[in-house]
Amino acid sequence: MSSHAAFAAALAAALLLPAAASHAACVSCPGDPLNDFEAGRYIFVSEADDATAVFINPAGLAQSRKPNLFWDLSASRDIDHVSFAAQLGGLGLGYRHRDLDTGEPGGKNLDTYTVGLGFGPRVFRLGIQGAWTTTDLPGDNAGSLWAGFQSRLHRRFSVGVAVRNANQPHFLTSRARPQYQAALSLRPFPVAEEFTLSGQVTLAD
């Protein structure tokens, strides 16, 4: 086994084994509403390569530069979560609305407006973005800065890294913590590259 293959296998094992617990627990952390994206629970920072990248990893906006749209709506008695994203070239625009179950009449809301830019070649893509979150909860609104990296050195695997809340914005009554995510995606079958094995780890300060 070559040194590159050995490294890829070791990285895959390190990421894939804790993936299920880490991914499910942290992508939508209740204590970190700036990072909440319901539809992105199973999209990894190494895979996002369309309009949804504006919610997950802005570097993915450089992968597929064809215009595309994404929308997601969830509702019980009322609409409680709406996400919309659009991509044109390396530019992505996103909007999220969330109803919060606070137990108060009428409830409370969070609205996030996002602008992201992805650039660079297939083997080394970078992305930056800004997100502005407004709320009718007591406290401050927040402007958050994100950055991301993606690389597909080989058609069989890709890696991604994303940093959220890099500027540690003051949100509501405290500072939001930076969040770091790293992921690896493997495509083991040459005749079915849409079949992907992915793992992701999440760290927060």
Side-chain angles (χ1 to χ4, degrees), residues 33-193:
L34 295 182
N35 288 334
D36 176 33
F37 175 44
E38 283 291 326
R41 285 178 180 265
Y42 304 107
I43 305 176
F44 296 82
V45 297
S46 55
E47 293 180 335
D49 60 2
D50 55 19
T52 60
V54 80
F55 299 131
I56 299 167
N57 184 352
L61 294 168
Q63 171 65 22
S64 173
R65 294 177 175 272
K66 295 180 180 180
N68 65 96
L69 300 173
F70 167 86
W71 64 90
D72 176 69
L73 183 150
S74 62
S76 49
R77 288 175 298 177
D78 300 306
I79 295 174
D80 52 39
H81 186 101
V82 176
S83 299
F84 174 81
Q87 180 183 359
L88 181 61
L91 177 67
L93 303 174
Y95 168 73
R96 289 177 294 157
H97 169 83
R98 288 148 288 173
D99 285 351
L100 305 178
D101 185 10
T102 61
E104 301 178 19
K108 299 293 184 180
N109 303 307
L110 286 176
D111 291 283
T112 301
Y113 307 85
T114 307
V115 178
L117 180 66
F119 49 92
R122 182 184 181 92
V123 296
F124 192 90
R125 300 185 296 272
L126 298 174
I128 55 173
Q129 74 180 41
W132 178 250
T133 299
T134 64
T135 178
D136 50 6
L137 291 168
D140 296 331
N141 298 325
S144 178
L145 297 178
W146 294 20
F149 161 78
Q150 271 187 359
S151 178
R152 188 172 291 187
L153 293 172
H154 190 277
R155 60 187 298 184
R156 295 283 180 267
F157 67 90
S158 55
V159 296
V161 176
V163 181
R164 302 170 179 176
N165 301 333
N167 58 326
Q168 301 185 49
H170 196 274
F171 182 59
L172 300 181
T173 59
S174 62
R175 288 200 174 277
R177 298 177 302 167
Q179 186 186 88
Y180 309 90
Q181 290 185 313
L184 171 67
S185 296
L186 302 176
R187 288 166 286 279
F189 304 114
V191 296
E193 289 194 11

